[in-house]
Amino acid sequence: MAYSTEAPRQNHRSPPRVSEVAPADDIRTIVLNQVAWGAVFAGAVIGLVMQIILNMVGLGVGLSTLDIAQGDAPSAGSMSLGAGIWFVVSGILAAALGGYIAGRLSGKASHSTTAYHGLISWAVSTLTVVYLLSSAASGMIGGAVSTASSALGGAGKALGGSVQTAVQTAAPSLSNVSDPMAAIESKVRSASGGQDPAALRDAATTAVRAALTGDPAQQAAANDKAAEALAKAQNISQDEAKAQVSQYQQQYKEMVTKTKEHAKQAADAAAKRVAQGALFGALALLLVALAAFFAGRISAVTPTVSARSTGV
């Protein structure tokens, strides 16, 4: 019986072609690219411990530079900058060590696979730090973990201190600006010399507050009541009392305007610092991730060639 040498045509009903890749190659590819989670967690733990050690070293070196007795101490801005730089450098070193350990312990011969192991190890350690710093559960863990989270959060506190310092620098008198009415009420109460009854002083203070902060539609009536109350409390003429009310109104407007300007300056400074901090943090995380990736890449295990495979 003769057989045709022409290969049969495939249609939509014919079964798919069998892969030309040998099963052994498929298994080797799966094993080579499979994630070794034990190695990942080991690298993450090593990276976290190294981060703690390096931050404690930085804290010790930083505190050793302070000399309170001599008054020779760096400024808050320089300390915050130094703490931020050291946190990034220590993060890169710790991530590189953790990434190398994760890639090496995975036992993979592929550089790309060990690189991904290092990157995953960094991601696990980063999520752990974020959880410890942001979750209330960190307070219920043992003292060792609390110390670790405090050490890892030192840079965050330093950045927060730099934000607060920047706000105070941009608006130095903001913290000294109180309620505009407080200063005016103090003047109203002290103008009588403390000899008039407290009821008259209280009534004058209340009337002045109503004149300054009350309904604009009833401004004229409030001014008259305030002038009358001031005249009784200070034993002065009605014209002098009206002049005081006008002076208080002008002072109140100036203080409100100044308070709003200071608040705007503080808000702008805070927004600028927060934006800079966010960009700085993103860049730092990117550098740390790259360190873990390349450290894991160079940790790939070089396969050894046995004597049997070489035919010796």
Side-chain angles (χ1 to χ4, degrees), residues 133-157:
L133 295 180
S134 61
S135 175
S138 62
M140 293 183 283
I141 307 176
V145 178
S146 178
T147 303
S149 62
S150 299
L152 292 174
K157 293 181 180 178

Side-chain angles (χ1 to χ4, degrees), residues 13-281:
R13 295 183 179 180
S14 61
R17 293 180 180 271
V18 180
S19 174
E20 297 179 357
V21 180
D25 294 336
D26 289 338
I27 295 175
R28 180 179 179 277
T29 301
I30 293 174
V31 173
L32 187 63
N33 296 324
Q34 189 176 14
V35 178
W37 286 107
V40 168
F41 287 117
V45 171
I46 294 296
L48 285 173
V49 173
M50 191 63 184
Q51 180 79 64
I52 294 171
I53 294 174
L54 291 176
N55 276 276
M56 287 184 174
V57 170
L59 180 63
V61 173
L63 292 178
S64 65
T65 61
L66 298 178
D67 192 354
I68 301 177
Q70 298 295 332
D72 185 13
S75 63
S78 61
M79 288 186 64
S80 299
L81 180 60
I85 294 176
W86 175 248
F87 184 77
V88 174
V89 172
S90 62
I92 291 175
L93 296 176
L97 179 60
Y100 184 87
I101 294 296
R104 193 68 176 178
L105 293 181
S106 67
K108 308 298 182 180
S110 172
H111 291 282
S112 61
T113 303
T114 55
Y116 290 134
H117 274 75
L119 186 62
I120 296 173
S121 173
W122 162 81
V124 171
S125 61
T126 301
L127 291 177
T128 302
V129 171
V130 171
Y131 174 77
L132 290 176
L133 295 180
S134 61
S135 175
S138 62
M140 293 183 283
I141 307 176
V145 178
S146 178
T147 303
S149 62
S150 299
L152 292 174
K157 293 181 180 178
L159 291 176
S162 64
V163 172
Q164 182 179 4
T165 303
V167 172
Q168 293 177 352
T169 302
S173 59
L174 180 61
S175 58
N176 299 326
V177 176
S178 57
D179 181 12
M181 280 301 306
I184 296 177
E185 288 180 355
S186 178
K187 287 185 177 182
V188 172
R189 292 181 182 276
S190 62
S192 61
Q195 300 176 357
D196 296 320
L200 293 179
R201 296 196 300 271
D202 293 340
T205 302
T206 303
V208 171
R209 174 178 286 273
L212 300 183
T213 63
D215 187 1
Q218 301 177 355
Q219 188 71 45
N223 290 344
D224 293 338
K225 291 182 180 180
E228 183 179 355
L230 285 175
K232 290 182 180 180
Q234 301 178 16
N235 194 20
I236 58 177
S237 65
Q238 193 75 12
D239 293 336
E240 293 177 346
K242 288 182 179 181
Q244 284 190 18
V245 172
S246 299
Q247 181 181 357
Y248 290 151
Q249 287 177 340
Q250 183 64 26
Q251 181 180 354
Y252 180 77
K253 291 179 181 179
E254 292 176 355
M255 295 184 68
V256 168
T257 302
K258 184 183 297 185
T259 301
K260 289 181 179 180
E261 182 64 25
H262 288 167
K264 182 180 180 299
Q265 292 178 3
D268 292 342
K272 183 178 180 179
R273 284 298 181 182
V274 169
Q276 291 178 351
L279 295 176
F280 177 78

Side-chain angles (χ1 to χ4, degrees), residues 3-24:
Y3 293 91
S4 174
T5 59
E6 184 178 0
R9 297 181 179 179
Q10 283 191 343
N11 52 31
H12 65 280
R13 295 183 179 180
S14 61
R17 293 180 180 271
V18 180
S19 174
E20 297 179 357
V21 180

